[in-house]
Amino acid sequence: EVQLVESGGGLVQAGGSLRLSCAASGFIFEDYSIGWFRQAPGEEREGVSCINSSGDYTYYADSVKGRFTISKDNAKNTVYLQMNSLKPEDTAVYYCAASPFFCRAVDRMDYWGKGTLVTVSS
């Protein structure tokens, strides 16, 4: 059974940091690109960052560039999202998703986790 399990969300003050984890099982993790997406209340799900299968190529949305860092540990079947200098507008449910192809759109990802809530207070 394919599983993606996010963890690390929580409540943090503006300017603070969180590290999200995405633990994967049930598929060949090293063959898959992983993306982080987020969905704020009343908004569409949007792409935040993605990393290729080997972990050496990344992409960031402009809204998080310079503040978030994605990394992939194929030995641990885990992807991380280090989030620094958090802003209230970063408040959302954060999801990780997997695809054999790099940085696919929301509707083209193969597997999804159930999400973890990040709340940034002002």
Side-chain angles (χ1 to χ4, degrees):
E1 179 189 4
V2 171
Q3 280 196 315
L4 290 169
V5 180
E6 303 93 338
S7 61
L11 174 64
V12 63
Q13 288 189 330
S17 298
L18 285 174
R19 188 175 83 154
L20 306 184
S21 299
C22 170
S25 61
F27 62 99
I28 303 174
F29 185 72
E30 62 187 11
D31 290 345
Y32 278 72
S33 170
I34 303 295
W36 282 100
F37 298 80
R38 67 186 182 186
Q39 189 166 19
E43 302 290 332
E44 292 187 354
R45 195 170 297 189
E46 63 176 1
V48 174
S49 180
C50 47
I51 191 165
N52 70 335
S53 58
S54 58
D56 55 6
Y57 196 74
T58 59
Y59 163 83
Y60 297 94
D62 287 343
S63 57
V64 306
K65 200 172 294 182
R67 301 188 296 122
F68 290 11
T69 303
I70 191 170
S71 59
K72 190 173 191 267
D73 188 338
N74 283 334
K76 296 183 177 180
N77 281 17
T78 302
V79 168
Y80 305 97
L81 186 69
Q82 178 67 43
M83 306 187 297
N84 298 329
S85 302
L86 282 162
K87 305 175 181 180
E89 52 262 44
D90 294 319
T91 295
V93 178
Y94 283 71
Y95 302 87
C96 63
S99 167
F101 305 102
F102 179 65
C103 264
R104 299 303 294 269
V106 169
D107 60 348
R108 303 296 296 273
M109 301 300 287
D110 288 10
Y111 309 125
W112 287 88
K114 294 183 179 180
T116 185
L117 176 62
V118 172
T119 304
V120 184
S121 63
S122 56

